[in-house]
Amino acid sequence: MSTPRRALPPLVDYGLLPLLNLTAAFLVAGLVVLVIGEDPIGTVKIMLSGSLGYAEGIGFTLYYTTNFIFTGLAVAVAFHAGLFNIGAEGQATVAGIVVAALCLTFDGAPWWLVFPFALAGGMLGGAAWAFVPAWAQARRGSHIVITTIMFNFLAATLIVYLLVNVMGKPGAMSPETRTFAEATRLPLLRDLVAPLGWDLGQSPLNPMIFVAIVAVAVVWVLIWHTRLGYEIRTVGFNPTAAAYAGIDAGHVVIAAMLISGALAGLVAVNEVMGVQSRLVLEFVGGAGFVGIAVALMGRSHPFGVVLASLLFGVLYQGGAELAFEKPKITRDMIVVIQALVILFMGALEHMFRPALERIFARSGEGGR
């Protein structure tokens, strides 16, 4: 029988514990950097200056952060219902197919006219791809982890087939659609803020950053201030008690997964209509899997997800600068650092918790 967890003060549970895990991850990553003969302190300086030290770097960091907010929220909503949605990658991929189809259909129309349809189409595409795993879990007892993994593979196969046989640019050797007309592409913030004297360089940051902020607020209201959010949290905390209270757990599981898929689908709008301006293979770029770490690190709280997304945005952009400045530290090394963060924030999350629980239990007894 497992030992029941003691409650920690919120500041410790949501602040100190993640900080300890993150510190441990970076200490181990520093040892890896030392092993290959580089200076860990200098490495950190390059990463921070490359991601936050100048306007273009900040633009790229916020662009990566936007994708991670969407996938982090997607995984967090599923977490609250007790579900491990590993399928954000596939859900965003299918959403990209829908967004590309809409942009090609209305190609040449002003972006502000196509944008609402792209948002709705991306969310519907992501939700639709999450429906079957959700239904199988809720009504047939299938495991959501297995089905969402398999649906990632199915989505990867589907996009290859469509780009090669249906949607691909005629005569092109690479599997991709034609580029959308300039009027249909999302505008870049660098063009909008340039008259104000802000030079964001070549960063692909676009208005989807504002959609991400709205999504954070909507998820916060949904989870903590609506009846559906209460039911999601109840089912996630104790399905038996939820059933005793008259909550249809199957209905809640399907609803949570549809919301999760819809949030993951917003990545497609940022990438397909904004950054790539066409549909290409693997445009999601692993953001669906990073969302798992973001949700774990952010304790599935929308504002925690924002902070964790920003950290991973710094790691991505700073890592790109690092690979340029330090040839010994490749992109694969950056992946190792990210993996260490995921390891300590996820699999080893309880490494420091027992010690903190004992410390605060003793302090509580001493105060009586």
Side-chain angles (χ1 to χ4, degrees):
M1 180 181 291
S2 61
T3 305
R5 286 171 50 176
R6 297 187 184 94
L8 287 170
L11 190 61
V12 176
D13 200 8
Y14 292 96
L16 180 59
L17 189 55
L19 185 62
L20 286 174
N21 289 327
L22 189 62
T23 303
F26 281 123
L27 283 176
V28 176
L31 290 176
V32 175
V33 172
L34 269 178
V35 167
I36 63 172
E38 292 288 353
D39 173 23
I41 303 298
T43 299
V44 171
K45 285 180 179 177
I46 292 173
M47 290 188 74
L48 290 179
S49 63
S51 56
L52 301 173
Y54 63 110
E56 185 177 15
I58 293 173
F60 273 99
T61 299
L62 292 179
Y63 150 64
Y64 290 121
T65 301
T66 303
N67 281 343
F68 300 149
I69 287 177
F70 290 136
T71 55
L73 289 176
V75 177
V77 169
F79 273 166
H80 281 293
L83 305 168
F84 205 154
N85 178 18
I86 301 185
E89 194 84 2
Q91 290 146 20
T93 299
V94 172
I97 296 170
V98 177
V99 171
L102 285 167
C103 290
L104 290 171
T105 301
F106 297 104
D107 202 17
W111 73 270
W112 50 266
L113 191 60
V114 182
F115 188 50
F117 294 99
L119 285 177
M123 294 178 73
L124 283 173
W129 205 245
F131 174 74
V132 174
W135 179 85
Q137 162 94 18
R139 305 303 182 198
R140 291 293 182 268
S142 301
H143 202 294
I144 200 79
V145 172
I146 304 300
T147 50
T148 49
I149 287 175
M150 296 312 297
F151 266 64
N152 282 342
F153 287 114
L154 290 175
T157 306
L158 178 64
I159 192 173
V160 170
Y161 172 80
L162 290 176
L163 284 178
V164 171
N165 298 289
V166 181
M167 301 173 70
K169 185 166 61 177
M173 295 298 291
S174 57
E176 61 183 36
T177 64
R178 60 181 167 81
T179 305
F180 310 142
E182 189 166 350
T184 307
R185 305 172 201 167
L186 282 181
L188 297 174
L189 288 190
R190 71 189 187 212
D191 299 327
L192 300 178
V193 302
L196 303 175
W198 297 344
D199 182 13
L200 292 179
Q202 297 302 311
S203 68
L205 190 65
N206 59 61
M208 284 304 289
I209 182 70
F210 303 117
V211 177
I213 294 170
V214 172
V216 168
V218 169
V219 169
W220 179 73
V221 171
L222 168 72
I223 296 297
W224 277 279
H225 296 279
T226 66
R227 177 174 177 173
L228 177 59
Y230 173 78
E231 292 179 344
I232 287 174
R233 286 184 288 128
T234 305
V235 169
F237 187 73
N238 192 328
T240 305
Y244 186 74
I247 297 174
D248 183 347
H251 172 78
V252 171
V253 163
I254 292 175
M257 280 300 293
L258 291 181
I259 296 169
S260 179
L263 288 165
L266 290 173
V267 172
V269 184
N270 188 35
E271 288 292 331
V272 175
M273 190 178 178
V275 179
Q276 307 290 343
S277 301
R278 65 193 192 285
L279 183 63
V280 297
L281 287 179
E282 299 178 351
F283 70 87
V284 185
F289 299 119
V290 175
I292 298 170
V294 167
L296 285 169
M297 192 169 177
R299 290 291 194 273
S300 299
H301 193 289
F303 302 110
V305 165
V306 172
L307 295 177
S309 299
L310 186 59
L311 171 66
F312 275 88
V314 168
L315 285 175
Y316 264 63
Q317 172 55 21
E321 293 280 341
L322 197 57
F324 181 75
E325 296 283 341
K326 300 274 187 182
K328 280 186 176 180
I329 303 178
T330 63
R331 290 291 298 177
D332 293 334
M333 280 290 300
I334 304 305
V335 173
V336 169
I337 295 173
Q338 292 165 359
L340 286 169
V341 174
I342 294 171
L343 180 69
F344 279 88
M345 298 304 298
L348 300 182
E349 195 268 343
H350 297 289
M351 187 167 62
F352 299 111
R353 177 180 286 276
L356 289 174
E357 286 178 346
R358 285 194 295 274
I359 291 171
F360 282 91
R362 279 200 295 268
S363 64
E365 291 167 2
R368 290 174 190 165

